[in-house]
Amino acid sequence: MDQNTMAPETLCSHLETRLLPADNYALATPIYQSVKFAVEDFDELKRIFRNERTGYFYSRHGNPTVAQLENLLAQLQGQEAGLATSTGIAALAGTLLSLLKSGDRLVYFIESYRPSRVFAEKILRKMGVQLTRLSIDDKAGIQAALALPDTKAVMFESMTNPQVRAPDIDFICTHAKQHKVLTILDHTFAGFQKLKVENCDVVIHSLTKFASGHGDVMGGMILTSQSLRHELEENLILLGATLDPHAAYLILRGMKTYHLRRRAQCENALAIAQWLEEHPKIASVSYPGLPSHPQHAHFREAYEDFGSMLLFSLQNKDYSIEDIVARGQLFKLAASLGSTESLITPALFFFAGDLSAEERVKVGIDATSIRLSIGIENVADLIRDLNQLLDRVN
Ligand code: PLP
């Protein structure tokens, strides 16, 4: 229909589409803020559905802005393909729900992000999935659990939350491969370091953290092979935790400065860890960049950086950290991590409430443990703020 002949209310819903000429393109990723994509030939639409050609139909199935983010992160991590989700936990949950069925066993660890453990224990257990919860130090236990005939997957983190420790990724992947067990690595804390993540079947990121970097958008990513992506995609489309194109755009924008931010955060974290370690009121500091960290040599050899997260505890084990955690002038008591601003979190309350007393000792969290996420502020200002907090401790 000729647009000049349309009534105003028709024209407003059927305006002329302005396509860019083939030799002319936007330098910033365009946001395809559209749920629907029209196709001019039904046969071509069927080919899109059969994955015989690229094309878009409905944004829950795929969106060009989201696809750019998937491609970028797959390239950065040496993986064949990416599948974006609305949050990091949606990436983990979608992967586990897709790959596991009743009777299968999942191996997972006490040194991990608490909601990942709770997801397994609440949702997967209800589905009839069997669970084996271990410590990353329990090599004999890991070997035995991976060899069990019903074990289907193992889920672990490359830098554990909140202790900042490293599992033996090679050991887990080698034994898992031997027994055809799928390896699911949550790589969120480590950022986009390559390590040997290509040895893992699935690499998960919460993009809410270092990728977006500004604490203003949530997202998740599953990085894997083309064939596994295809299998997961079929289920994730039905689970519906799709990443919005505007969120994908913000994360892509965040990625432009990711490496600069990460470098600044890591430098600040090392300086703060060193300062805390010298402080008379501090009992322990867990930061892989410190020679006192039990895995310092391993991190130095195998990792590209030591990260921007650290855990410390007080000498005075009777002191209530509730009196200081909300008193930071720069260090705010808030959820999340990896953004430009520094954050402070009481570790027992947030990360270890589901662990037994014995498990808390194993993961190194007590009532005075505090997690810090270090931002890109001036490090002297950050230390001044920590100093005023520690001055309050007796
Ligand atoms: N994995 C780790 C290690 C995390 O720290 C988090 C969030 O803190 C998540 C996954 C979940 O990410 P999101 O909050 O984007 O769902």
Side-chain angles (χ1 to χ4, degrees), residues 48-212:
I48 292 172
F49 263 79
R50 292 197 295 262
N51 274 325
E52 289 167 10
R53 53 157 284 192
T54 315
Y56 298 92
F57 173 64
Y58 189 51
S59 276
R60 181 154 51 77
H61 295 226
N63 174 286
T65 312
V66 176
Q68 285 231 346
L69 177 64
E70 293 173 337
N71 285 350
L72 172 67
L73 299 191
Q75 275 178 308
L76 284 181
Q77 297 277 247
Q79 297 277 329
E80 282 178 12
L83 184 55
T85 54
S86 55
T87 62
I89 204 75
L92 274 164
T95 301
L96 294 166
L97 288 174
S98 298
L99 299 178
L100 298 174
K101 62 178 185 328
S102 174
D104 288 344
R105 179 177 301 280
L106 172 74
V107 179
Y108 67 111
F109 298 98
I110 52 177
E111 298 90 351
S112 62
Y113 178 55
R114 181 176 172 184
S116 311
R117 298 196 292 268
V118 175
F119 178 81
E121 286 155 16
K122 258 192 139 161
I123 314 272
L124 296 180
R125 180 169 283 146
K126 204 164 64 180
M127 277 170 53
V129 173
Q130 304 179 76
L131 302 172
T132 299
R133 175 157 117 171
L134 297 171
S135 164
I136 53 169
D137 296 324
D138 182 3
K139 291 238 176 128
I142 296 173
Q143 205 171 337
L146 293 178
L148 290 174
D150 51 11
T151 301
K152 182 76 190 289
V154 53
M155 169 173 77
F156 57 110
E157 295 172 14
S158 45
M159 279 185 178
T160 65
N161 182 4
Q163 314 81 359
V164 209
R165 299 199 37 228
D168 190 335
I169 299 180
D170 276 348
F171 178 85
I172 295 176
C173 287
T174 306
H175 286 277
K177 275 212 167 64
Q178 242 173 31
H179 301 288
K180 297 193 168 49
V181 172
L182 287 159
T183 41
I184 303 168
L185 175 72
D186 183 339
H187 207 31
T188 301
F189 261 41
F192 296 93
Q193 309 188 38
K194 269 212 175 142
L195 306 182
K196 289 181 183 162
V197 295
E198 60 274 16
N199 292 342
C200 298
D201 296 303
V202 180
V203 177
I204 302 279
H205 279 277
S206 165
L207 307 180
T208 314
K209 313 295 180 325
F210 294 98
S212 64

Side-chain angles (χ1 to χ4, degrees), residues 219-288:
M221 185 63 70
I222 303 167
L223 300 167
T224 186
S225 63
Q226 281 292 2
S227 61
L228 199 51
R229 183 199 189 277
H230 188 63
E231 187 183 329
L232 293 173
E233 185 187 26
E234 289 192 339
N235 294 310
L236 271 113
I237 285 172
L238 297 171
L239 288 169
T242 314
L243 186 68
D244 182 78
H246 191 253
Y249 165 79
L250 285 174
I251 298 165
L252 278 164
R253 190 167 71 162
M255 284 306 294
K256 292 186 183 192
T257 55
Y258 159 77
H259 292 91
L260 292 173
R261 285 186 281 106
R262 177 94 185 171
R263 219 171 291 142
Q265 287 168 321
C266 293
E267 276 173 26
N268 279 355
L270 178 60
I272 288 169
Q274 286 165 339
W275 181 82
L276 281 171
E277 199 170 41
E278 295 300 314
H279 198 285
K281 293 182 183 170
I282 300 299
S284 65
V285 184
S286 181
Y287 181 69

